[in-house]
Amino acid sequence: MAATSSALGRMLDSDLWWSFKRSPITVASAVVALICVLGAVLAPLLAPHDPFDVATLNLIDAFKPPAWAAEGDATYPLGSDDQGRDVLSAIMYGARVSLLVGVCAVAFSLVVGVAVGLLAGYAGGAVDGLLMRIADIQLTFPSILIALLVDGVVRAALPPAVHDRIALFVVIFAIGISAWPQFARTVRGSTLVERNKEYVLAARVIGISQLRIMLTHVLPNVLGPVLVIATLGLSNAIISEATLSYLGVGVPQTQPSLGTLIRIGNDFLFSGEWWIAIFPGIALIVMVLSVNLLGDWLRDALNPRLR
C-alpha cells in the first residue's frame, strides 16, 4: 500500500502530469477516450439492447428514427437499422471490436518492430542493412494495400468456413504486419545512439551477454518514442480496420465493427435513414480524434524541444 501511494505521489509530481493538467484539450480528449473505452468494454452492461440477440429483434421496429424525431421511440435513442437493431447498442458493441483489433494490431506491430529495430541498431553492419532494406521496401506500399494483400492470400489459401472462424485474427495480423517498420526505424535510430554510451560499454567490459545488454540496458532507454508511435498508431489501426470492414474484407458479419455499421448504413443514406450511417461515423471520428490528440500531447510532453 505504501509503495502504491509513493508511486502515485511521484506520478502527481512528475512533469508529465503537470503537462497533462495544464492542457485543457488533452484533458478533454482523455475524458472522451475514457468514455469511449468504458462504453465499449461495458457494452453488455450499459447498452440498452443486445443487437446480436436475434430473439429480441423485431422487423416492425426497423428504420426507427432517433428518439428526438417526430416518429422516434425512446427505446431506440439513436434510432434503429434495417433489422430493428438499436443503433446506439450496435455502436457500443461495434466499438468493442474496433478497439480490440486496434489494440492487438498495435501490440503485435510494436513487438515485431521493437525486436527488429533493436537487433538492427545494436548489431549494425550487414544485419542492419538487410533489416532496414526490408522495412524500406514495405514502406513503399500503403499499409491498407498490404492488409488487403494479406487478407486476400488467406482467403485464397483457406476454405471459407475456416477463414470465418479466424477472420478476426487475420485482420489483426494484416494490420499489425503493415505497421512494424515505423517502430523498427525509430528504435533502430535510438539504439544507434545508445549502444556507444558509457553504460553499454561498461556492461560489455564486465562480461554481460549481448542479449541481456539489449533487453535490460538499451531497450528501456529507447521506449519513449515507441509509446508515442503506439498511441498514434492505435488511431491508424482503428481506421484501417474500419476501412477493411467497410470494404467487406474485415471482421465477419457476426462481429460487426464500426466500419461494418457504416457500410450497412451507407445503403440507406440517400433513402432518408441517415442515422444508420451517420452516428457510427461520428463515433469513429470522435474515438480516433481523441486518441490522436492524446498522441500529439504525449509526443510534445516526452520531447522537451517541442514544449
Side-chain angles (χ1 to χ4, degrees):
M1 188 67 180
T4 303
S5 301
S6 177
L8 181 61
R10 288 195 301 269
M11 185 193 73
L12 295 178
D13 290 335
S14 65
D15 292 339
L16 200 63
W17 177 254
W18 181 86
S19 174
F20 175 79
K21 67 182 182 181
R22 291 274 296 180
S23 175
I25 295 179
T26 303
V27 174
S29 301
V31 171
V32 172
L34 181 62
I35 292 174
C36 292
V37 172
L38 290 178
V41 174
L42 302 178
L45 300 176
L46 301 179
H49 305 272
D50 184 354
F52 307 122
D53 187 359
V54 180
T56 62
L57 300 181
N58 191 345
L59 290 178
I60 298 178
D61 294 329
F63 300 118
K64 289 281 187 181
W68 60 84
E71 299 179 0
D73 187 343
T75 307
Y76 304 99
L78 299 182
S80 62
D81 63 6
D82 58 318
Q83 300 180 33
R85 297 181 299 186
D86 177 43
V87 172
L88 176 60
S89 301
I91 289 174
M92 296 175 70
Y93 276 87
R96 300 183 80 192
V97 178
S98 297
L99 285 173
L100 174 64
V101 172
V103 170
C104 292
V106 169
F108 175 72
S109 59
L110 186 150
V111 171
V112 174
V114 168
V116 172
L118 192 63
L119 177 61
Y122 191 83
V127 175
D128 181 24
L130 175 62
L131 294 176
M132 287 302 99
R133 294 302 76 75
I134 295 175
D136 290 340
I137 292 172
Q138 181 167 330
L139 286 173
T140 61
F141 298 94
S143 59
I144 192 66
L145 182 61
I146 296 175
L148 286 171
L149 176 63
V150 172
D151 184 82
V153 170
V154 174
R155 285 177 181 270
L158 299 177
V162 176
H163 179 271
D164 289 342
R165 288 199 299 269
I166 65 171
L168 188 65
F169 301 100
V170 173
V171 173
I172 292 173
F173 175 79
I175 297 174
I177 203 64
S178 66
W180 70 267
Q182 289 87 349
F183 292 95
R185 292 180 66 86
T186 301
V187 172
R188 181 248 186 189
S190 300
T191 303
L192 287 175
V193 175
E194 296 293 328
R195 71 175 184 175
N196 293 320
K197 289 188 175 180
E198 289 79 3
Y199 71 93
V200 175
L201 298 177
R204 290 175 182 169
V205 169
I206 63 177
I208 297 178
S209 66
Q210 302 295 335
L211 179 60
R212 185 178 176 186
I213 292 175
M214 284 193 294
L215 296 180
T216 62
H217 292 74
V218 179
L219 181 59
N221 292 297
V222 301
L223 286 180
V226 171
L227 297 177
V228 177
I229 298 176
T231 305
L232 296 174
L234 176 59
S235 60
N236 293 331
I238 293 174
I239 293 176
S240 296
E241 185 281 323
T243 303
L244 292 174
S245 297
Y246 183 84
L247 295 174
V249 295
V251 296
Q253 293 287 346
T254 55
Q255 296 176 310
S257 67
L258 294 177
T260 307
L261 298 176
I262 295 172
R263 177 171 61 83
I264 294 172
N266 188 60
D267 297 334
F268 307 98
L269 187 60
F270 297 104
S271 61
E273 292 80 17
W274 52 268
W275 57 88
I276 303 177
I278 294 299
F279 288 127
I282 292 175
L284 179 62
I285 292 172
V286 169
M287 184 187 305
V288 170
L289 181 61
S290 62
V291 174
N292 261 335
L293 290 174
L294 285 175
D296 289 340
W297 161 77
L298 190 60
R299 178 198 61 198
D300 296 344
L302 293 178
N303 190 345
R305 291 176 297 179
L306 296 178
R307 293 180 185 175

